[in-house]
Amino acid sequence: MAPSAVLCGAVVLGEGARVLHGAVLTAEDGEVRVGANTTVMENAVVKGRSEHPAVLGGSVLVGPHAHVNGATVEDEVFVATGVSIFPGAVAGTGSELRINSVLHVNSRIGPGTVVPIGWIAAGDPAELFSPDRHDELWEVQQGMDFPGTVYGVPRGTPLREIMARQSAFYGAHRDDRVID
């Protein structure tokens, strides 16, 4: 683990796992498990959630600035720079999420699937959407319960209410201390 990496809460690293500079693995609301010989690169974030632990299989690469939030990434998956994987999602064994792609909430890509640069995978099983297909993507997204899965609220809840809840939740860090 690099000296500037942060591990918070119930984080378990497998043998040979590496966490590089600036990466954050946070299990304050749900566990994070990282398999053997998996590398989490610079400034990546891996976040466990109470309903959705973050599980990275063996021999996984999580690229710089990628976000794995309450998702399962099976063995030998390539998660490129800037990828976002949302709660409840599953990336199948040997799949590839290329630069700045998205695996949406509660979505699943099968083994060996490739999500192209900048594309969005949504649904279970996931359909692949290029960025210019927003209207078609929205048709799939509406039924995937993003606000319920991520914030525990029904669609249409005012952002003021959501953010008040988030502020209270993250206020728990006021008493954090560094452990040497």
Side-chain angles (χ1 to χ4, degrees), residues 143-159:
M144 295 172 59
D145 193 26
F146 183 91
T149 301
V150 176
Y151 299 113
V153 299
R155 185 170 299 286
T157 300
L159 192 56

Side-chain angles (χ1 to χ4, degrees), residues 133-155:
R133 293 178 55 206
H134 182 266
D135 292 340
E136 294 169 69
L137 172 61
W138 180 240
E139 290 295 320
V140 173
Q141 279 181 288
Q142 287 184 71
M144 295 172 59
D145 193 26
F146 183 91
T149 301
V150 176
Y151 299 113
V153 299
R155 185 170 299 286

Side-chain angles (χ1 to χ4, degrees), residues 80-157:
T81 299
V83 167
S84 296
I85 305 177
F86 285 92
V90 176
T93 299
S95 59
E96 295 183 27
L97 290 102
R98 296 193 174 157
I99 297 169
N100 294 326
S101 65
V102 174
L103 180 54
H104 216 290
V105 66
N106 299 319
S107 296
R108 176 183 300 268
I109 57 172
T113 299
V114 174
V115 182
I117 292 172
W119 283 43
I120 302 103
D124 184 3
E127 182 178 346
L128 300 179
F129 295 89
S130 59
D132 63 334
R133 293 178 55 206
H134 182 266
D135 292 340
E136 294 169 69
L137 172 61
W138 180 240
E139 290 295 320
V140 173
Q141 279 181 288
Q142 287 184 71
M144 295 172 59
D145 193 26
F146 183 91
T149 301
V150 176
Y151 299 113
V153 299
R155 185 170 299 286
T157 300

